[in-house]
Amino acid sequence: MRTAPGRPVRRAPRGRHHAAGAVAVKPPERKPFPRRLRRLADDVATLPAQLIGAPVGHGASRRSPNFQGGRFRNPVPTALLHNAAVWAAVRSRLGPGRLRQPPRPVPVIKPRLPQVPRDRGLHVTWLGHASALIDIDGVRILVDPVLGERCSPFAFAGPRRLHPVPVAVNDLPPVDAVVISHDHYDHLDEATIISLSKVQATMFVVPLGVGSHLTRWGIAAGRIRELDWGEEHRVQSASGASVRLTATAARHFSGRGPVRYRTLWASWVVESATHRLFFTGDSGYWDGFAKIGARYGPFDVSLMQIGAYDPAWPDVHMTPEEGVAAHLDLRAAVLLPVHWGTFDLAPHRWSEPVERLHAAATQHGARLVVPKPGEPVDIDDVPPGADTWWTALGTAGGPSS
């Protein structure tokens, strides 16, 4: 084909008869993109936001005395890692024969949750790990809900749940407030939060800066309340009952990747006219528990973090024995352990936290209740002697995947 000088040859579009005698070219068929690869692509596409996280929002850094030098600070000197013990933790984690998953299925209770919380009383339903549903004198609070298969920035990798979720997001009764302790993946799950925002007309009460994650996920700023340590927010139910939520200090850290300390972490006091509950979130042991107990206690129950400890990070996660000490410092009546048995986050055996906790509670005379996942507990009517249901599962097991 001859053309004028400097003009390109015009070719017939694929799949069309451009002129008489032109041949239609059929585009090649595209094979369907495998589902797993599609999910991988989605995860990689969102990786920068997942790992770096959102900046501190809502003026948090400007108005908090706990934000200094571009980062939030712990109330006492705290080391994230003790280098001398890190390699021992790695070897223990990778070594053969670690019993980090239950040898038999964990018994899970499918709770029958009333649509409206009871007008009186304090009932706690542990949903696994640090997630719990709290009915306190007519108000329902959901803390640190992680109701997915993994606690990870990825859908295809990361710590996998060791037992089924007792109740799905869509099956939860109406919740008056969702409370978050900090932004680590095992406490703040994007998919769970987004689902909750769609099916619940609830408020989200979070430490300073954590709201920036939620707004990035599409939750309206008007549904978010950010609190600094010592600040309060009152939650009222449709029936007119109310509780006071107070963010209290914790010894931990934050961040969803390499960027740390950009959002605050907190423990929580939940208080009605007749009941008080303390939730540790994540924390290393420190003398602040006694100060919290003196100011806000005594408590009817402490929801106490007891798992995911190791000598490599003793300042940011309590051992079971320290959990008992913190419980006694808080002047709490009943100890209900959380943060154990659901995700494999440390080298210890899956049941070691509750075994050590039971021994320490017995030694110090602490009143202990250990519910199965999904089992409601009436805090005003805890029977003497904890149910040691985990012992029936045996002692053999293997590494989780």
Side-chain angles (χ1 to χ4, degrees), residues 294-308:
R295 180 171 180 179
Y296 299 102
F299 295 97
D300 297 281
V301 62
S302 66
L303 273 57
M304 186 64 59
Q305 172 256 306
I306 66 161

Side-chain angles (χ1 to χ4, degrees), residues 36 62 162 198 200 223 229 246 263 273 295 312 338 366-367:
R36 180 165 294 186
R62 292 189 296 275
L162 301 178
K198 293 178 179 178
Q200 297 270 356
R223 298 180 64 181
W229 295 337
T246 304
T263 63
R295 180 171 180 179
V338 298
R367 193 176 177 190

Side-chain angles (χ1 to χ4, degrees), residues 116-117 119 136-139 176 234-243:
V116 178
D119 291 337
I136 176 169
D137 295 322
V139 179
D176 297 303
R234 187 162 289 277
V235 175
Q236 189 169 25
S237 69
S239 66
S242 68
V243 299

Side-chain angles (χ1 to χ4, degrees), residues 308-334:
Y309 50 82
D310 191 84
W313 50 84
D315 290 357
V316 294
H317 275 148
M318 286 184 286
T319 65
E321 294 80 9
E322 289 172 328
V324 171
H327 169 80
L328 297 175
D329 289 347
L330 290 161
R331 300 189 295 150
V334 176

